[in-house]
């Protein structure tokens, strides 16, 4: 399968949430690095590692699922030359509903490969209503 | 305060869990990068960002807490030149108890600074009993 080349971690992240929203398994896996280092922590879950297991976990999630609407808020970035870490709050709605279902806080790690930036780790956990409001920060690149 | 120079992410991680175990706030903060990009996600929590807020969160955690014993298991590493990502299961006991209290799954991100490797992000979430057993993987360095 031909994969899109993502010029920045933000491009890879946009494609990740686009595929997530559309229940698009091929589009989702096209965002990931082809590497058995990759791993995923879904909310309430343990670690799922390697291309085959990560793919199967998304197949299970997308099976029969309703379309979701994501609002990403309060992004916080730690950027290196070869790896980038994004912290994002995911506010999730089911399509057609006005009520927000709940928030998830994700640490998404992207790797710069020979073929552009790729997802290597999303670690997501649910955020309780009592969690402190996030401090607003400005994206900045580390040296 | 004079800070130790950690030659590898593993050295920084060992110091992080040593300070965590001993409720040692100064030792804990000595492991972190001096940078307002740093952030922390404690289990069940939201994002705590910046040196002052991260420090205050650990002060609250260490206040009056009993000494913990950590067993780290099933480490999985994604290493770049400047950033390293460690996934570790933390099995936690209270000192003097034989029963394991519960497991936490942490994604710990380390940054290579001019003064060695430093913690920039630990994102920790509780692991339910039903979580899949982690696949065993061998640490490997990415190019």
């Amino acid at each position: 399968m031909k994969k899109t080349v993502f010029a920045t971690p933000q491009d890879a992240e946009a494609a990740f949430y686009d595929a997530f929203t559309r229940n698009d398994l091929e589009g989702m896996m096209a965002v990931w690095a082809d590497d058995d280092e990759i791993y995923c922590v879904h909310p309430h879950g343990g670690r799922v590692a390697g291309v085959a297991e990560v793919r199967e976990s998304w197949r299970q999630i997308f099976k029969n699922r309703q379309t979701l609407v994501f609002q990403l808020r309060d992004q916080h970035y730690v950027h290196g030359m070869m790896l980038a870490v994004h912290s994002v709050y995911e506010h999730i709605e089911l399509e057609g509903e006005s009520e927000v279902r709940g928030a998830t806080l994700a640490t998404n790690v992207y790797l710069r490969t020979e073929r552009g930036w790729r997802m290597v780790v999303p670690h997501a956990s649910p955020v309780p209503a009592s969690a402190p409001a996030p401090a607003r920060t400005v994206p900045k690149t580390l040296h």
Side-chain angles (χ1 to χ4, degrees), chain A residues 49-69:
Chain A
V51 174
E53 284 192 40
V54 166
R55 182 185 180 90
E56 175 60 18
S57 77
W58 287 105
R59 197 183 66 76
Q60 292 288 341
I61 287 169
F62 290 158
K63 199 170 64 179
N64 304 321
R65 200 189 63 177
Q66 288 182 261
T67 302
L68 299 182
V69 179

Side-chain angles (χ1 to χ4, degrees), chain A residues 10-109:
Chain A
Q10 289 85 333
D11 292 344
E13 187 151 89
F16 175 81
Y17 285 107
D18 180 58
F20 203 160
T21 301
R22 293 184 296 103
N23 296 338
D24 173 3
L25 183 59
E26 297 309 319
M28 168 57 75
M29 294 314 298
V31 181
W32 288 73
D34 293 317
D35 206 304
D36 272 338
E37 275 70 36
I38 65 173
Y39 74 86
C40 194
V41 181
H42 297 292
H44 304 289
R47 183 172 69 227
V48 176
V51 174
E53 284 192 40
V54 166
R55 182 185 180 90
E56 175 60 18
S57 77
W58 287 105
R59 197 183 66 76
Q60 292 288 341
I61 287 169
F62 290 158
K63 199 170 64 179
N64 304 321
R65 200 189 63 177
Q66 288 182 261
T67 302
L68 299 182
V69 179
F70 278 88
Q71 289 189 357
L72 303 183
R73 297 184 193 163
D74 299 308
Q75 286 97 330
H76 177 102
Y77 299 157
V78 181
H79 278 184
M81 285 294 288
M82 300 303 287
L83 280 173
V85 183
H86 290 189
S87 171
V88 296
Y89 282 86
E90 305 167 349
H91 292 259
I92 300 168
E93 297 171 29
L94 287 174
E95 200 169 52
E97 282 191 346
S98 58
E99 194 186 350
V100 172
R101 281 296 179 112
T104 298
L105 177 55
T107 290
N108 296 329
V109 183

